[in-house]
């Protein structure tokens, strides 16, 4: 028995919208019929989902998430994190290696993959670290990690401080045909700062994280990427300077790609209501000018994809306040509705643009066979109710943690059914 999804709205990157019937059988998309042409599906013996008036999208792909397992299961684990992802419409997620132990050995990669297979509800693809223990001192065994199934190398959570170390990592990754994914942060420019260097920091007498601490690494690394030929991917771009450097590098033909998070597209330091650590993340909320620059970067293709940087921390941890609480906010469960409400419904973006940057584009950037509704492809499908408006409620959050600044926001466009590898994992 398969699942027929009837009369849903599909959309492509050019925002061409077509009404379709989609048949899921086993773990594959078995048939797609054009409903506007009056093609009639043979539904006998199949489960039927009426998707009339709803968006039927390829399952969303999030290439930057923190699942916290192993080591920080009090914040999140693979079971809770993948369910939170499913609620947000994500069917493929790439998890960052800043766990404990960090993902720097084949054993830890295997642990993640085994846990994901037995306890996860969506596809989990791990990154391995660039350096052992993310200490920046010694490269990991890239070839062995690749063999074990990582999709790239990153020390996310910290920047690789040594240019020589980064260059060696890029050369090795390039020789294996693998990407380097960079959390860009120069430690000599950020000492104990919890927020952006700007108006909020000044008002509250805090040290600030300057834009250059990110952009200096971007500038250094695009030159190293040029020298080594590696595919270099920039994490969570937050500054105008980074956008400018990436744009320039792309014009030069350097193999660089980049990502941006919903919070950096939507919020600036001026929105932070007070000393509430649910507004603390790294990179921090920047100035309105930076927000405008990352929006333009995404719009003109300088920034390729949208990721959440889903970073759960417990309420106790966040209650330590702006100075002491850890960096990071949740991402999965509000990503689509935030961007749909604030960019699509306001006429700034087409629906096709938003969906493309959360599905096909990330698949293309990382060479994944997902993000498509083509017949024969894996049945990863997200059905979205584009009409219902409702508030973000803390009680409804599926993640083990609740650290988001978006509680109470009235948003429209909510994933209602998520199908991963042909199985309904959220409805
Ligand atoms: O906000 C962040 N949270 N930024 C990072 O770089 C790390 C992440 C985390 O692991 O919590
Ligand atoms: Zn990071
Ligand atoms: Zn991260």
């Amino acid at each position: 028995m398969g699942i027929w999804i009837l009369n849903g709205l599909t959309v492509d990157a050019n925002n061409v919208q077509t009404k379709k019937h989609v048949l899921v059988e086993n773990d594959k998309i078995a048939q797609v019929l054009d409903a506007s042409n009056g093609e009639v599906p043979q539904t006998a013996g199949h489960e039927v989902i009426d998707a009339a008036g709803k968006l039927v999208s390829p399952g969303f792909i999030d290439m930057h998430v923190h699942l916290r397992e192993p080591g920080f299961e009090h914040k999140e684990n693979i079971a809770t994190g993948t369910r939170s992802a499913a609620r947000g419409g994500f069917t493929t997620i790439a998890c960052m290696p800043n766990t404990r132990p960090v993902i720097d050995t084949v054993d830890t990669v295997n642990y993640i993959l085994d846990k994901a297979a037995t306890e996860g509800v969506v596809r989990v693809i791990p990154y391995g670290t660039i350096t052992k223990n993310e200490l920046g001192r010694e490269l990991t065994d890239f070839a062995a990690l690749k063999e074990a199934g990582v999709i790239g190398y990153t020390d996310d959570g910290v920047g690789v401080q040594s240019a020589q170390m980064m260059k060696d990592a890029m050369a090795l990754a390039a020789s294996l045909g693998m990407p380097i994914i960079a959390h860009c942060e120069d430690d000599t420019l950020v000492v104990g700062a919890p927020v952006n260097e700007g108006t909020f920091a000044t008002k509250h007498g805090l040290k600030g994280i300057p834009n250059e601490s990110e952009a200096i690494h971007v500038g250094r690394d695009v030159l190293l990427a040029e020298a080594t030929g590696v595919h270099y991917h920039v994490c969570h771009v937050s500054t105008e300077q980074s956008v400018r450097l990436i744009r320039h590098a792309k014009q030069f033909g350097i193999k660089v790609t980049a990502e941006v998070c919903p919070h950096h597209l939507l919020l600036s330091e001026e929105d932070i209501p007070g000393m509430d650590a649910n507004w603390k993340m790294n990179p921090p909320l920047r100035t309105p000018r930076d927000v405008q620059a990352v929006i333009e970067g995404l719009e003109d293709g300088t920034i390729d994809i949208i990721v959440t940087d889903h970073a759960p921390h417990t309420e106790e941890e966040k209650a330590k306040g702006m100075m002491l609480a850890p960096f990071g906010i949740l991402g999965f469960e509000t990503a689509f509705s935030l961007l749909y409400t604030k960019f699509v419904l306001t006429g700034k973006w087409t629906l096709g643009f938003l969906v493309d940057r959360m599905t096909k584009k990330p698949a293309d950037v990382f060479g994944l066979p997902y993000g498509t509704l083509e017949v024969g492809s894996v049945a990863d499908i997200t059905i979205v109710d584009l009409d219902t408006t409702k508030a973000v409620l803390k009680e409804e959050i599926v993640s083990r943690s609740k650290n988001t600044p978006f509680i109470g926001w009235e948003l429209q466009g909510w994933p209602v059914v998520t199908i991963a590898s042909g199985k309904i994992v959220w409805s």
Side-chain angles (χ1 to χ4, degrees):
M1 189 178 101
I3 308 170
W4 268 110
I5 303 164
L6 299 182
N7 289 303
L9 184 74
T10 64
V11 64
D12 70 9
N14 298 317
N15 205 39
V16 176
Q17 306 196 356
T18 331
K19 220 172 28 149
K20 290 196 174 138
H21 307 306
V22 179
L23 175 63
V24 173
E25 266 183 322
N26 304 315
D27 61 343
K28 295 277 160 47
I29 295 181
Q31 259 190 77
V32 179
L33 300 178
D34 194 336
S36 29
N37 277 353
E39 292 183 321
V40 180
Q42 300 297 311
T43 56
H46 295 297
E47 184 177 341
V48 169
I49 297 176
D50 175 15
K54 299 197 171 67
L55 170 70
V56 173
S57 167
F60 304 152
I61 299 173
D62 191 345
M63 294 308 298
H64 188 143
V65 321
H66 297 267
L67 295 179
R68 305 301 189 206
E69 189 171 1
F72 302 102
E73 289 87 350
H74 57 289
K75 301 172 194 267
E76 192 82 285
N77 62 31
I78 287 170
T80 60
T82 57
R83 279 166 182 77
S84 174
R87 181 183 179 222
F90 294 93
T91 53
T92 297
I93 58 180
C95 65
M96 286 298 170
N98 61 340
T99 48
R100 193 174 59 211
V102 304
I103 310 179
D104 61 359
T105 64
V106 168
D107 279 352
T108 310
V109 175
N110 287 337
Y111 176 87
I112 305 268
L113 292 174
D114 287 348
K115 275 265 172 171
T118 52
E119 293 172 21
V121 297
V122 305
R123 182 175 305 105
V124 174
I125 309 176
Y127 289 106
T129 61
I130 294 172
T131 66
K132 290 183 181 166
N133 240 331
E134 291 200 352
L135 288 173
R137 299 201 189 116
E138 198 184 339
L139 293 183
T140 56
D141 187 341
F142 281 18
L145 290 170
K146 175 186 178 181
E147 183 73 14
V150 305
I151 191 164
Y153 311 98
T154 177
D155 277 2
D156 185 49
V158 290
V160 174
Q161 300 305 308
S162 153
Q164 184 65 56
M165 183 65 68
M166 192 53 137
K167 190 174 182 185
D168 291 347
M170 286 184 179
L172 184 54
S175 74
L176 295 165
M178 295 283 277
I180 290 286
I181 290 84
H183 170 112
C184 290
E185 183 170 10
D186 184 312
D187 287 350
T188 64
L189 287 165
V190 272
V191 188
V195 294
N196 185 49
E197 184 179 85
T199 51
F200 185 90
T202 305
K203 183 172 163 201
H204 294 272
L206 303 168
K207 281 186 187 162
I209 305 171
N211 282 22
E212 310 85 73
S213 80
E214 174 179 297
I216 279 175
H217 270 207
V218 175
R220 176 197 77 178
D221 289 355
V222 294
L223 295 172
L224 298 175
E226 181 179 22
T228 56
V230 77
H231 170 198
Y232 171 66
H233 180 81
V234 188
C235 287
H236 40 53
V237 174
S238 73
T239 73
E240 185 269 328
Q241 293 85 344
S242 302
V243 174
R244 203 197 312 150
L245 289 163
I246 295 163
R247 187 176 288 129
H248 187 255
K250 282 193 168 181
Q251 281 164 1
F252 260 69
I254 298 169
K255 229 191 288 169
V256 53
T257 55
E259 62 185 41
V260 64
C261 306
H263 47 274
H264 292 125
L265 291 163
L266 283 166
L267 301 173
S268 79
E269 60 179 1
E270 295 181 4
D271 298 307
I272 308 174
M275 296 291 276
D276 175 357
N278 285 317
W279 297 72
K280 177 179 181 179
M281 74 292 286
N282 189 16
L285 300 176
R286 303 285 190 180
T287 67
R289 179 169 158 209
D290 293 301
V291 174
Q292 194 49 40
V294 295
I295 291 171
E296 282 167 18
L298 183 66
E299 289 174 350
D300 74 8
T302 299
I303 297 174
D304 301 83
I305 63 171
I306 297 165
V307 302
T308 68
D309 199 2
H310 179 81
H313 295 290
T314 65
E315 290 186 72
E316 298 71 44
E317 290 164 327
K318 282 298 193 181
K320 290 180 183 161
M322 208 47 128
M323 276 309 295
L324 296 175
F327 290 97
I329 63 169
L330 300 184
F332 291 139
E333 298 175 52
T334 51
F336 182 87
S337 36
L338 278 169
L339 297 173
Y340 182 69
T341 305
K342 302 297 176 184
F343 287 98
V344 178
L345 288 176
T346 54
K348 296 186 180 109
W349 298 348
T350 65
L351 178 60
F353 176 85
L354 172 58
V355 168
D356 182 65
R357 281 1 180 227
M358 295 178 71
T359 57
K360 188 168 185 309
K361 232 353 184 0
D364 289 349
V365 165
F366 287 91
L368 297 170
Y370 314 117
T372 167
L373 293 178
E374 265 167 48
V375 171
S377 55
V378 174
D380 290 348
I381 300 174
T382 297
I383 304 176
V384 184
D385 174 351
L386 295 174
D387 299 319
T388 301
T389 301
K390 73 186 191 71
V392 178
L393 299 176
K394 192 167 157 187
E395 312 82 80
E396 288 183 3
I397 293 175
V398 170
S399 169
R400 180 164 279 181
S401 291
K402 313 294 165 197
N403 53 312
T404 166
F406 298 114
I407 302 284
W409 284 42
E410 291 281 339
L411 301 176
Q412 186 175 328
W414 291 89
V416 285
V417 180
T418 305
I419 297 173
S421 297
K423 281 211 232 52
I424 297 176
V425 293
W426 167 262
S427 97

